[in-house]
Amino acid sequence: YAVLGAGFAGLSVAWHLLKESPKDLNLHIDLYDEMGIGGGASGVSGGLLHPYSPKVKLLWRGAECWKECMKLLSIAEQAVSSEEDRLSLSGEFGQDFGGILDRRRGIIRPATNMKTLNVLNDNAKNCLANCKIEIIDKNAAEKLVPHIHMPFNLAFYMPEAINVNSKYYLNALFLACQNIVKELSASGFGKKNLCLQKKSVYELRELEGKQCFLRHGDGKNVENKFVLWWTPENGEYDAVIICLGAKADLLPELAGKLPLRTCRGVILHLQLPDNIGEDYPDHGPSILSDAWLAIKGNRSLYLGSTWEWKSRNSSSNVSTDEASDALQELLPKASAIYPGITSWSFAGARAGLRAMPPLTPHGSLPLLGCVNNILGNDLICKYWLLGGLGSRGLLYHGWLGKLTAEAVLSCNEQIIPSELTSWKNKDSRP
């Protein structure tokens, strides 16, 4: 198999292909991503994890999504349980979290709009038992976050919600994939293999056989070279799973055929200066409002996010002007709920390009399924898509990666809920 993209979706698919495949099956997975693990939008995600909408309504199939995401978090944590692995990854990706994969302090959502107050109250009553929503007053909220502003003396607190260090988590999940390859191969049954290919796939036809054009360049100055492209021994993949997020539309075979909109989001890193004595409380939750605060530690947080629709800029780098504009947009929104944010200093910015799916009666649902009918009939192998996870990739990736892997292994799209494949029955143009 070839899995295109090493973000939330691609790594979940790779893990579940390894986990769900028959033990006696010889299985080789090539994971393609020129940026490496978590090099795209997934790696710059704010990492706030819960199964609810902004109006604290349980999302469609939120229970399954939450359950499978918790499983993958646990698997990733087990992979870095050894001191050597933990130190190796935390040294590179875990500084802001104090060398840990996630921060389990919950999330608080103050009520900010009288118009939606009754809706929020009603939605909160239908929460999951393993991710509760507690309705709390100003006094209780201030015990969690001193000086928090409560316009309507009411907040919705999710004590089990989590703030995940996305880059660290993705690298830990890749390590878990490598570990299971070793375990399965050592069992004496089928041979398993997983290779990270730090290459871009510019056209799907590159994966159809052993010989192809390999392109080098930045998209403007491209050099074509006729090369020997490594594929399995029979010269083809049994399936290719496209998990490229917003970049899926850059494949010429899919360009203009997916009902996705792109949206660039900038996230700001803020730190509390040394001369400010009052830290953010160690037990303090992250905050959801018109802007969100993902708390990394007592003196470090991420503030997000902007929404630049129709952008095609997928670079994680943020210019000085773009960062300044984001700060001017986000800081007033954050200070309306947490006034103390005005004492924090700008420490950096990063950005990602989201692939936003269309709105359905069930909400904005990702796109899944076999796409051979969209690509054409002259294809050697099966092509599958897992895309359009939008701003909820972290929540969705566990369950959807499992569904996709099971469908690929069984060559049966019918096991995927029809709500996730119905996009193919409509005009797919954005």
Side-chain angles (χ1 to χ4, degrees):
Y1 299 115
V3 178
L4 311 187
F8 290 135
L11 283 169
S12 177
V13 168
W15 165 262
H16 286 105
L17 284 173
L18 292 164
K19 186 68 174 177
E20 304 293 333
S21 61
K23 288 187 176 181
D24 59 349
L25 179 70
N26 290 329
L27 181 66
H28 181 98
I29 300 172
D30 281 324
L31 184 62
Y32 288 91
D33 199 311
E34 68 171 344
M35 303 298 292
I37 304 301
S42 296
V44 300
S45 163
L48 295 182
L49 178 60
H50 60 88
Y52 303 105
S53 75
K55 294 182 180 178
V56 297
K57 180 181 180 181
L58 183 64
L59 294 168
W60 180 81
R61 306 298 284 265
E64 290 97 325
C65 292
W66 181 254
K67 176 184 175 183
E68 295 301 328
C69 192
M70 290 300 99
K71 284 184 181 179
L72 283 190
L73 274 179
S74 177
I75 288 163
E77 287 175 334
Q78 291 172 19
V80 291
S81 58
S82 75
E83 186 73 9
E84 181 181 354
D85 290 333
R86 185 183 64 79
L87 290 175
S88 173
L89 284 187
S90 65
E92 188 173 355
F93 307 112
Q95 299 93 333
D96 291 336
F97 274 71
I100 59 174
L101 190 146
D102 54 45
R103 187 176 185 272
R104 303 194 178 217
R105 302 291 190 276
I107 296 174
I108 190 169
R109 163 74 160 92
T112 57
N113 189 325
M114 179 62 77
K115 182 179 178 180
T116 61
L117 195 56
N118 290 333
V119 174
L120 289 164
N121 266 309
D122 290 341
N123 288 342
K125 296 173 184 175
N126 299 311
C127 62
L128 295 179
N130 56 0
C131 189
K132 299 186 295 293
I133 299 177
E134 300 175 2
I135 302 175
I136 61 176
D137 61 15
K138 182 177 179 63
N139 290 334
E142 285 194 331
K143 289 180 181 178
L144 296 170
V145 183
H147 314 304
I148 190 171
H149 182 53
M150 303 274 287
F152 297 100
N153 194 36
L154 199 67
F156 301 88
Y157 175 47
M158 299 170 269
E160 286 92 6
I162 302 171
N163 186 1
V164 177
N165 184 341
S166 299
K167 189 81 169 180
Y168 188 177
Y169 163 66
L170 289 166
N171 279 274
L173 185 55
F174 180 64
L175 180 59
C177 291
Q178 292 177 309
N179 290 343
I180 196 174
V181 164
K182 294 175 184 176
E183 293 169 10
L184 293 172
S185 297
S187 67
F189 293 99
K191 183 180 179 182
K192 313 292 183 185
N193 199 12
L194 172 68
C195 292
L196 175 62
Q197 306 282 353
K198 286 194 175 183
K199 305 172 183 176
S200 286
V201 176
Y202 293 95
E203 299 180 25
L204 293 175
R205 70 183 181 89
E206 295 174 6
L207 305 174
E208 284 286 298
K210 286 190 176 180
Q211 290 184 331
C212 71
F213 284 102
L214 179 62
R215 294 183 174 185
H216 297 275
D218 58 6
K220 296 180 180 178
N221 301 307
V222 178
E223 176 187 0
N224 290 327
K225 289 184 177 180
F226 197 63
V227 299
L228 187 67
W229 184 275
W230 190 94
T231 54
E233 291 180 2
N234 63 356
E236 64 189 58
Y237 290 106
D238 291 300
V240 175
I241 305 98
I242 303 161
C243 306
L244 291 172
K247 290 185 176 181
D249 192 55
L250 296 180
L251 295 169
E253 296 92 341
L254 287 176
K257 297 179 180 179
L258 302 177
L260 296 174
R261 296 178 297 162
T262 57
C263 181
R264 180 172 170 84
V266 175
I267 296 173
L268 304 173
H269 183 200
L270 302 183
Q271 291 180 330
L272 194 61
D274 293 338
N275 62 345
I276 304 295
E278 187 175 359
D279 294 353
Y280 197 88
D282 185 59
H283 62 273
S286 294
I287 300 174
L288 287 178
S289 187
D290 293 335
W292 49 255
L293 298 177
I295 309 302
K296 305 294 183 184
N298 301 93
R299 309 181 77 87
S300 178
L301 60 80
Y302 286 143
L303 169 61
S305 167
T306 62
W307 293 76
E308 183 188 348
W309 291 97
K310 297 184 179 180
S311 172
R312 303 299 295 183
N313 182 4
S314 61
S315 173
S316 61
N317 297 324
V318 177
S319 69
T320 301
D321 288 344
E322 188 179 23
S324 178
D325 290 345
L327 195 61
Q328 289 184 38
E329 176 185 340
L330 297 173
L331 200 57
K333 296 177 181 179
S335 61
I337 295 298
Y338 181 57
I341 194 71
T342 56
S343 298
W344 294 59
S345 299
F346 174 77
R350 56 188 189 171
L353 190 65
R354 314 175 186 98
M356 306 300 294
L359 185 63
T360 77
H362 302 285
S364 297
L365 301 185
L367 314 180
L368 272 69
C370 181
V371 291
N372 280 49
N373 61 327
I374 295 175
L375 297 174
N377 299 319
D378 58 340
L379 301 170
I380 297 174
C381 67
K382 286 279 190 180
Y383 289 85
W384 299 79
L385 175 73
L386 171 51
L389 275 64
S391 59
R392 296 184 178 127
L394 181 56
L395 174 68
Y396 284 142
H397 80 296
W399 182 52
L400 299 187
K402 182 178 181 180
L403 278 176
T404 301
E406 290 174 346
V408 169
L409 288 165
S410 63
C411 295
N412 180 15
E413 189 183 59
Q414 299 304 311
I415 67 175
I416 300 174
S418 60
E419 293 89 343
L420 299 171
T421 60
S422 62
W423 64 275
K424 297 193 295 176
N425 304 325
K426 303 172 184 177
D427 186 347
S428 296
R429 289 171 296 179

